[in-house]
Amino acid sequence: MAQSFYITTPIYYVNDVPHIGHAYTTIAADVLARFRRLQGDDVFFLTGLDEHGQKVQQAAAKASIAPQAHCDHLTPQFQDLWEKLGITNNGFIRTTDQQHQTIVKRFLQSLYDKDLIYQAEYTGWYCTFDERFWTEKDVEAGICPDCKRPVEQLSESNYFFRMGQFQDRLKAHIHDHPEFIRPISRRNEVLGFLEKPLEDLSISRPKSRLSWGIELPFDSDYVTYVWFDALTNYFSALDYLPSVPSTTRYWPATTHLVGKDILTTHAVYWSTMLMALELPLPQTIFAHGWWTVNGEKMSKSRGNVVDPNVIIDTFGIDSFRYFLLREVPFGQDGDFSQEALIGRNNSDLANGLGNLLSRTVTLIQRFANGTIPARVTSTEDDLDRELEAAAETLLQTTLPHHLHPERIEFNRTLEGIWGLVQLGNQYIDKTAPWALAKDSTKQERLHTVLYNAAETLRFLCLANAAFMPATAQTMNEQLGLGLDFSHPLLSQNIDWGTLGIGTTVQKGQPLFPRIDASILNKESKLETQGLKTDGQESNKDSKEEENKHQEGSTIEDQISIEDFMKVQLKVAKVLAAERVPKSNKLLKLQVDIGTEQRQIVAGIGKKYDPEQLIGQTIVIVANLKPAKLMGVESQGMVLAAGIKEVEGLLTLSEAVAAGVKVK
Ligand code: MSP
């Protein structure tokens, strides 16, 4: 019997279009939902919209439309973005759904009937922005302790939920269930909050002050407080969104993902509401950190709100998904910048995983007729065994451990996956299949190496499937793996060496095109998002243009034929090519120059992908003193045309053997 896994995101206010913060939680939930489906669990993944309350009413008033029309208008912006991002939610709740409203009313009535809701006159400090009262001891100098805006004294009759009654039970629950609030630091914060007496919670608003909400079933002059309405979504959705009511199947929720700012409402309000309703509490409430943008708080007034649509149109969906979960630990704050995203894309994705896939496919095409060859285990050594152990540990231990609801360590999971990417690339470097190919006695070893490289990629494809679904699919296609990701592929141990032989590999587009950082200044659409662009940078571009023209017109010094003859130019054949880590320009080539094999580091990586070069006949300077470029030894120089940027590589019009002199 499959284990049920119910995961939720907060329901987002429809006072504005979605931003990177909304995308963050939703992508995180999607990764966990996909991972658990691959493990064979019975998953329900819920997201949706919080449509009632003051914020939405105000936004609608500003747009001069009715609140419902405003919500209907904004809803597709969220739904379309989730579709674009590959989000696999099973349900999408809107708190204006009639069925949801009915359940909220049922909950209210049941608590009212049990005398857990009562009416009282209340005078207190009210924060309009947060739509809540604060007690005297919370407010200092007339400022809201949460949003730091001024609060006002307000006196009104309202309905209250006897939240205070549940304080001890809640504390005991938190103590008895260490996994209930995560990360631990947040759990301690909530316990600290519960040290003070827990007040009862005002759960109504007079219609005279706020009309956009669900009417109280026992008093038509009031609507319910937005949080009472919103939190109920996690339960109500199960009743009417699945094809059959599924509260018993999925409740209690396995994981509520929330931002750190809404932890108290979840850990305290929601938990005590559930206790009062005699419903079990969720297993884990996990509070994640917040994103700043280029070091600043993201806000409309600063004009730096990041629209995920713009980012994915420019950088690609998987690159965005990867960046958000790789860059910072899930519980901590992080800083978003396009420079950092480009850095991750080019180094981890293009140079790392992309390079491993493309070189493996190229090598199989060149040295195994384009089909996965058979491995011969008797030719294996420690290198192979290390790769095998790392791949099996990754799927069997690393992923389930770090993605467990108690931990949710996306960054460490990805670090683990990229450990195998690195090992795979090193394996190819060390086993040097191009050298094995030259020795007819080493064909079995060559095939074993190619098989093991492809097998590593199969493990990587499975490990990445939840994080980067489109990438996993491309890997699946290029390697001819025939995986169907709608099946529970991770439900059993994946054994090393079960990759089928004889399937045809297919070279495709690079997995992750490298992104040239100069687009940051050129793409005007990015500027309109308020993302910082540096005017000086574009000046630099035009200066470079200027220099180019000047350089072209200067008269260069003439040299004698003897001087020229000092330079030994030779024909060389590229045997292997890969990117130099952390460089977007440098490629490390292994070339055959007839008498020997040389390693040359060439600054042609912006123009060429490594796999394009394998097999090419080029021209090199053979008698240049060896030098180190970014720590990598270069034994010669490749000839290419272009002043600042490489425009073309010198190749030969006829088939000329490696080692022939060029004069
Ligand atoms: N409607 C409530 C939630 C009700 S859940 C029953 C709400 N909505 S919200 O749209 O304002 O915020 C939704 C989520 O976005 C919160 O989890 C919040 O933490 C998150 N984020 C808002 N800005 C963010 C960042 N800058 N970075 C990361 N997440 C951020 O609150």
Side-chain angles (χ1 to χ4, degrees):
M1 176 74 179
Q3 205 185 332
S4 79
F5 179 77
Y6 177 28
I7 184 155
T8 66
T9 73
I11 46 172
Y12 306 114
Y13 283 129
V14 271
N15 52 349
D16 211 343
V17 292
H19 58 59
I20 183 191
H22 305 131
Y24 184 43
T25 331
T26 313
I27 290 172
D30 184 62
V31 169
L32 294 172
R34 283 176 183 268
F35 176 64
R36 297 298 281 250
R37 287 189 200 109
L38 286 168
Q39 283 196 315
D41 289 348
D42 172 21
V43 173
F44 196 80
F45 165 19
L46 178 71
T47 188
L49 297 176
D50 191 354
E51 303 194 358
H52 292 124
Q54 200 139 330
K55 286 185 190 157
V56 177
Q57 182 170 305
Q58 280 167 350
K62 209 168 150 200
S64 308
I65 47 172
Q68 186 66 62
H70 165 85
C71 295
D72 293 347
H73 174 71
L74 279 177
T75 298
Q77 303 253 16
F78 285 85
Q79 288 173 323
D80 293 350
L81 176 63
W82 300 155
E83 205 183 316
K84 207 162 155 181
L85 277 169
I87 303 301
T88 55
N89 53 305
N90 302 95
F92 188 90
I93 189 168
R94 299 180 57 184
T95 52
T96 50
D97 292 344
Q98 280 314 316
Q99 300 96 319
H100 167 76
Q101 302 201 36
T102 306
I103 293 171
V104 171
K105 287 185 181 176
R106 201 174 80 207
F107 277 7
L108 287 163
Q109 188 67 53
S110 115
L111 297 188
Y112 185 71
D113 293 345
K114 287 198 266 185
D115 192 34
L116 287 170
I117 287 177
Y118 62 95
Q119 191 172 24
E121 186 70 25
Y122 184 79
T123 305
W125 292 109
Y126 186 75
C127 171
T128 317
F129 184 81
D130 285 338
E131 299 175 43
R132 59 165 292 181
F133 279 100
W134 292 99
T135 60
E136 198 64 50
K137 58 182 182 315
D138 293 323
V139 174
E140 259 179 54
I143 296 296
C144 167
D146 182 34
C147 72
K148 314 289 178 218
R149 290 176 171 81
V151 289
E152 53 180 331
Q153 275 281 333
L154 206 78
S155 184
E156 67 186 23
S157 170
N158 258 317
Y159 286 88
F160 290 82
F161 162 49
R162 295 191 196 278
M163 186 161 75
Q165 273 195 8
F166 297 92
Q167 177 160 15
D168 291 341
R169 253 182 83 186
L170 179 57
K171 274 164 85 170
H173 184 87
I174 299 173
H175 281 297
D176 295 347
H177 298 85
E179 75 292 357
F180 180 50
I181 300 169
R182 289 284 161 155
I184 294 281
S185 54
R186 299 283 171 209
R187 173 175 181 266
N188 295 339
E189 263 175 42
V190 175
L191 283 171
F193 174 84
L194 289 171
E195 283 307 306
K196 291 183 280 178
L198 186 62
E199 313 256 335
D200 288 348
L201 181 70
S202 160
I203 55 104
S204 68
R205 299 289 176 265
K207 274 192 186 165
S208 52
R209 193 151 65 75
L210 175 77
S211 58
W212 184 234
I214 301 175
E215 192 179 285
L216 293 186
F218 40 82
D219 191 335
S220 58
D221 287 340
Y222 290 85
V223 294
T224 191
Y225 172 50
V226 69
W227 276 101
F228 197 98
D229 167 0
L231 290 162
T232 301
N233 95 87
Y234 299 131
F235 188 84
S236 68
L238 296 179
D239 198 62
Y240 69 96
L241 291 181
S243 49
V244 287
S246 300
T247 45
T248 44
R249 180 163 161 192
Y250 295 115
W251 194 263
T254 322
T255 312
H256 288 321
L257 296 185
V258 299
K260 61 180 184 180
D261 55 318
I262 57 172
L263 177 60
T264 312
T265 47
H266 283 77
V268 180
Y269 300 3
W270 181 223
S271 303
T272 52
M273 277 169 67
L274 287 167
M275 284 174 176
L277 290 160
E278 293 169 56
L279 287 169
L281 267 54
Q283 190 184 312
T284 301
I285 302 172
F286 197 105
H288 66 69
W290 267 43
W291 287 95
T292 49
V293 177
N294 294 312
E296 289 188 342
K297 196 175 167 198
M298 187 169 70
S299 75
K300 256 179 150 182
S301 53
R302 283 198 176 88
N304 65 350
V305 176
V306 180
D307 176 353
N309 287 290
V310 175
I311 302 299
I312 58 187
D313 289 347
T314 317
F315 303 108
I317 293 163
D318 281 359
S319 190
F320 181 56
R321 287 175 66 112
Y322 175 79
F323 176 81
L324 290 181
L325 300 182
R326 173 68 184 82
E327 191 69 1
V328 285
F330 194 49
Q332 289 173 26
D333 294 341
D335 187 48
F336 180 85
S337 75
Q338 297 191 39
E339 286 82 353
L341 196 156
I342 292 174
R344 288 263 173 222
N345 180 82
N346 290 357
S347 65
D348 301 9
L349 301 182
N351 285 3
L353 183 61
N355 188 31
L356 180 60
L357 176 69
S358 73
R359 65 197 298 217
T360 303
V361 171
T362 305
L363 290 166
I364 292 172
Q365 285 178 332
R366 279 175 55 82
F367 302 130
N369 296 322
T371 58
I372 308 277
R375 70 169 179 156
V376 179
T377 46
S378 59
T379 70
E380 291 185 339
D381 57 25
D382 285 351
L383 278 180
D384 306 81
R385 283 184 280 276
E386 183 189 14
L387 198 60
E388 170 175 347
E392 289 193 343
T393 306
L394 179 67
L395 290 189
Q396 290 166 19
T397 315
T398 313
L399 262 76
H401 178 79
H402 290 303
L403 295 178
H404 191 278
E406 277 182 34
R407 281 174 286 271
I408 317 193
E409 294 167 328
F410 295 116
N411 65 323
R412 297 188 73 178
T413 315
L414 290 167
E415 269 168 32
I417 302 176
W418 258 257
L420 184 62
V421 170
Q422 197 186 10
L423 210 59
N425 272 318
Q426 285 168 355
Y427 175 79
I428 296 181
D429 295 343
K430 288 181 188 162
T431 51
W434 48 91
L436 296 171
K438 285 203 213 144
D439 185 340
S440 59
T441 66
K442 300 219 167 114
Q443 292 311 292
E444 287 187 340
R445 177 63 184 148
L446 169 66
H447 287 167
T448 305
V449 165
L450 297 180
Y451 179 93
N452 285 344
E455 182 64 325
T456 306
L457 282 159
R458 183 170 71 103
F459 275 71
L460 288 170
C461 173
L462 288 164
N464 274 316
F467 288 93
M468 296 189 285
T471 299
Q473 184 51 28
T474 309
M475 293 173 76
N476 188 22
E477 282 160 16
Q478 290 199 16
L479 290 162
L481 299 177
L483 298 174
D484 178 349
F485 295 105
S486 67
H487 288 179
L489 300 177
L490 298 177
S491 61
Q492 279 158 2
N493 282 347
I494 312 295
D495 294 319
W496 179 265
T498 51
L499 167 69
I501 58 172
T503 34
T504 307
V505 300
Q506 229 150 28
K507 188 106 206 181
Q509 294 296 316
L511 210 46
F512 299 97
R514 298 174 57 73
I515 303 165
D516 186 341
S518 63
I519 66 159
L520 289 184
N521 305 303
K522 290 185 186 138
E523 293 279 329
S524 59
K525 63 178 179 176
L526 296 180
E527 289 171 31
T528 60
Q529 288 310 307
L531 286 160
K532 284 243 169 116
T533 53
D534 184 351
Q536 285 177 348
E537 280 290 315
S538 20
N539 276 345
K540 197 176 111 207
D541 275 356
S542 53
K543 280 233 175 68
E544 277 180 10
E545 273 304 310
E546 223 177 276
N547 288 342
K548 234 183 204 175
H549 289 301
Q550 283 176 359
E551 271 178 73
S553 60
T554 53
I555 302 163
E556 280 139 12
D557 290 338
Q558 293 180 335
I559 59 162
S560 67
I561 184 81
E562 287 77 19
D563 283 342
F564 174 70
M565 292 305 275
K566 284 184 195 159
V567 182
Q568 265 185 36
L569 299 175
K570 277 192 176 177
V571 171
K573 204 161 211 140
V574 182
L575 302 172
E578 64 174 294
R579 294 195 177 275
V580 171
K582 299 205 174 69
S583 165
N584 60 2
K585 218 168 139 188
L586 298 181
L587 296 185
K588 184 168 85 177
L589 310 179
Q590 307 298 333
V591 298
D592 175 3
I593 58 164
T595 46
E596 61 180 295
Q597 187 179 318
R598 291 266 185 100
Q599 172 169 297
I600 300 186
V601 177
I604 55 175
K606 281 193 184 168
K607 176 81 181 167
Y608 299 101
D609 278 314
E611 59 276 15
Q612 279 174 272
L613 300 173
I614 299 174
Q616 294 256 23
T617 307
I618 58 171
V619 179
I620 64 146
V621 180
N623 61 338
L624 205 60
K625 265 195 200 152
K628 277 201 169 171
L629 296 168
M630 288 189 72
V632 184
E633 170 148 344
S634 183
Q635 305 151 335
M637 187 171 100
V638 166
L639 293 189
I643 299 172
K644 289 279 173 198
E645 298 291 335
V646 172
E647 291 174 35
L649 195 61
L650 261 68
T651 54
L652 288 129
S653 56
E654 309 298 328
V656 178
V660 172
K661 275 193 175 172
V662 177
K663 288 200 280 191

